[in-house]
């Protein structure tokens, strides 16, 4: 059910919490300004689009969201995706893709797919997150060092080759400002966590460049003045041809946005001891991206760093997120023109810090040292993200993870013939009083298309047709169409050989339901479906006795 957290938090809201939320919201709004600008520039769009996104999407996410403290806006994870879309389809293509992604996010929330996001493999998440961090870092070298060169190539290897060719054109002033930004950003937390070091670096470097006339590139010198008002809303037109072109990048935005927003909400829950509503959050993210695209913004999602800043400064309700959006709007209206003075080298340094925080180096190493299958998914996703494309990385990573999971399930499944306790103890042990002419097989694990061949192979060990074949299914948790087809083929083969098939101990309701839907129980006969093994043996005895009497 769609139920924003704002509704719950306002029931017992009090003045003390209001003041805490206002303080937290103002601080987060100030912190969000340079990040919004930096993310926009790194994504290949003008700086004001990041501010528009932070204001519009941030407000919508706080009002409609399923988390008490989530702060929404543009994030570093989208830089690679947005940059690629802008290069291929232009700004208008990005706006349409963001609009479509918003609709897809709403559909995901309405169909309750929010809880399904948690099933995306962890190695895949770490792989593409670390890959994005590497790309962000490599994209900021030009501005960090003030290199005098043309457009930076999109390809990772070509990018570093171009840097090498222009390394002699380093602007030492820009490099110094970038290095100072990195130093402050990493050392400032040792003094206080209340105000991020990146904000201190921006203030100091901007003042230094302005008053001492340091010859470095600024936001204003590259992009011109920053608008001091919100643009008029325009609903983008989406034709069928455009939809065909942009559905894939829109899906990438959808998947990445849903993953990051829900991960951020989970982190926030751990910080405040709360419990977010995942489907409500996805619906809110969908509306936020639709509204952002209408105002010419870029994709938005839950921002982990800004959400953490909100919590650390006392924010506990969506009011803090609303104040954060209002703060950004006030800054845009009255102080936005001063943002044009921020040096590009400073923003590059901030983005490198963001990339470092995103990289999750320790987690990357832990997964790499773990199971080979997880390491394979990790390295594949990482390499494809860096050298090919994030969309391809997610698609192939998911497929690879699925196949490796199926392989594990196949290894966990087994089909063994039952023998008396005097025989090989590696096989399933049975009572010694199994009637003559009765074969017993037991299936362990899921009987799906990946494991069905094991059952077929197991049936081949029967040298001569028995009068009765009992198949025990007490340890079968799930069955699919292939598994049902294999059972049906076994039943037909047994009938051809004159052998009666008995299915024993179908304990799982899902398995029983699938057998009923496929009319397999009717084919085998209700009298040959037994809930216990003892009853199956009795039925086998009855069949054997009736055949002996019939033969006499």
């Amino acid at each position: 059910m769609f139920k924003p957290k704002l509704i719950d938090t306002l029931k017992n809201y009090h003045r003390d919490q209001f003041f805490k939320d206002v303080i937290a919201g103002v601080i987060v709004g100030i912190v969000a300004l340079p990040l919004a600008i930096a993310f926009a520039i790194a994504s290949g769009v003008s700086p004001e689009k990041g501010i528009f996104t932070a204001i519009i999407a941030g407000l919508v996410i706080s009002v409609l969201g399923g988390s008490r403290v989530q702060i929404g806006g543009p994030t570093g994870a989208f830089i690679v995706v947005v940059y690629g879309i802008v290069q291929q389809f232009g700004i208008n293509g990005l706006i349409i893709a963001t609009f479509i992604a918003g609709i897809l996010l709403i559909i995901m929330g309405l169909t309750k797919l929010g809880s399904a996001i948690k099933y995306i493999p962890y190695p895949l998440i770490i792989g593409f997150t670390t890959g994005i961090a590497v790309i962000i870092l490599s994209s900021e070298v030009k501005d960090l060092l003030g290199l005098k060169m043309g457009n930076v190539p999109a390809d990772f290897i070509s990018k570093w080759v171009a840097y090498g060719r222009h390394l002699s054109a380093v602007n030492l002033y820009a490099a110094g400002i970038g290095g100072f930004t990195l130093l402050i950003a990493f050392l400032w937390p040792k003094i206080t966590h209340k105000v991020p070091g990146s904000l201190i670096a921006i203030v100091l470097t901007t003042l230094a460049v302005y008053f001492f006339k340091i010859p470095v590139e600024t936001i204003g010198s590259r992009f011109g003045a920053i608008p001091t008002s919100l643009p008029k809303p325009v609903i983008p037109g989406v034709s069928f041809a455009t939809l065909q072109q942009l559905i894939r990048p829109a899906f990438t935005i959808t998947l990445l946005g849903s993953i990051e927003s829900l991960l951020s909400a989970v982190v926030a829950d751990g910080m405040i001891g709360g419990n977010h509503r995942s489907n409500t959050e996805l619906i809110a993210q969908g509306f936020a991206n639709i509204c952002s695209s209408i105002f010419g913004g870029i994709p938005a999602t839950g921002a982990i760093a800004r959400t953490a800043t909100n919590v650390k400064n006392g924010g506990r309700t969506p009011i803090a997120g609303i104040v954060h959006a209002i703060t950004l709007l006030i800054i845009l209206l009255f102080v936005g023109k001063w943002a044009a003075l921020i040096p590009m080298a400073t923003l590059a340094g901030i983005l490198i810090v963001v990339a470092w925080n995103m990289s999750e180096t320790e987690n990357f190493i832990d997964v790499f040292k773990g199971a080979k299958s997880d390491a394979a998914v990790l390295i594949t996703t990482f390499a494809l993200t860096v050298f090919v494309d994030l969309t391809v990385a997610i698609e192939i990573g998911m497929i690879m993870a699925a196949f490796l999971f199926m392989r594990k399930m196949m290894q966990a499944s087994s089909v063994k013939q039952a023998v008396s306790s005097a025989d090989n103890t590696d096989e399933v042990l049975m009572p010694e009083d199994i009637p003559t002419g009765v074969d017993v097989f037991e299936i362990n694990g899921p009987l799906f298309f990946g494991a069905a061949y094991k059952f077929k192979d197991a049936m081949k060990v029967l040298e001569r047709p028995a009068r009765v074949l009992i198949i025990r299914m007490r340890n079968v948790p799930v069955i699919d169409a292939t598994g049902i087809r294999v059972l049906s083929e076994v039943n037909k083969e047994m009938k051809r050989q004159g052998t009666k098939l008995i299915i024993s101990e179908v304990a799982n309701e899902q398995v029983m339901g699938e057998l009923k839907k496929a009319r397999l129980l009717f084919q085998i006969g209700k009298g040959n479906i037994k809930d216990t093994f003892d009853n199956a043996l009795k039925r086998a005895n009855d069949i054997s006795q009736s055949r002996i009497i019939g033969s006499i």
Side-chain angles (χ1 to χ4, degrees), residues 61 65-67 69-73 75 77-78 105 108 114 117 253-269 276-286 288-289 300-304 307:
I61 289 171
S67 170
V69 294
Q70 180 92 286
I71 300 295
T75 67
F78 279 122
L105 281 164
M108 286 181 68
I117 300 298
I253 294 174
T254 303
L255 186 59
L256 196 58
S258 59
I259 292 172
E260 187 164 6
S261 64
L262 295 185
L263 282 177
S264 177
V266 169
V267 171
D269 286 347
H276 75 281
R277 297 173 182 140
S278 57
N279 294 310
T280 296
E281 185 65 24
L282 288 184
I283 294 173
Q285 297 288 340
N289 278 278
T301 185
I304 296 177
T307 299

Side-chain angles (χ1 to χ4, degrees), residues 148-221:
K148 295 179 180 179
M149 55 187 292
N151 293 329
V152 178
D155 180 70
F156 181 78
I157 296 176
S158 301
K159 193 175 295 181
W160 284 98
V161 170
Y163 291 151
R165 289 174 180 170
H166 295 84
L167 201 58
S168 59
V170 170
N171 183 328
L172 295 179
Y173 292 105
I177 289 173
F180 177 77
T181 300
L182 292 173
L183 192 65
I184 292 294
F186 282 115
L187 294 181
W188 186 260
K190 295 182 179 180
I191 300 174
T192 180
H193 288 278
K194 290 291 184 180
V195 181
S198 58
L199 184 61
I200 301 299
I202 281 180
V203 173
L204 294 178
T205 56
T206 302
L207 290 174
V209 169
Y210 180 74
F211 285 108
F212 295 103
K213 308 300 179 183
I214 299 175
V216 295
E217 193 173 24
T218 63
I219 292 175
S221 64

Side-chain angles (χ1 to χ4, degrees), residues 37-120:
I37 293 173
F39 292 147
I41 293 173
S43 300
V45 300
S46 54
E48 71 273 8
K49 294 188 180 299
I51 304 176
F52 298 159
T53 303
I55 294 171
I56 303 299
L59 178 64
V60 174
I61 289 171
S62 293
V63 172
L64 302 179
S67 170
R68 296 169 62 93
V69 294
Q70 180 92 286
I71 300 295
T75 67
F78 279 122
I79 290 176
V80 179
V81 178
V82 173
Y83 187 85
I85 296 173
V86 171
Q87 293 300 307
Q88 187 172 358
F89 302 103
I91 297 295
N92 191 55
L94 173 64
I95 290 173
I96 295 174
T98 305
F99 187 87
I100 297 171
I103 295 174
L104 294 177
L105 281 164
I106 293 174
I107 293 173
M108 286 181 68
L110 292 176
T111 52
K112 300 181 179 180
L113 288 176
S115 57
I117 300 298
K118 69 182 72 171
Y119 299 118
I120 293 179

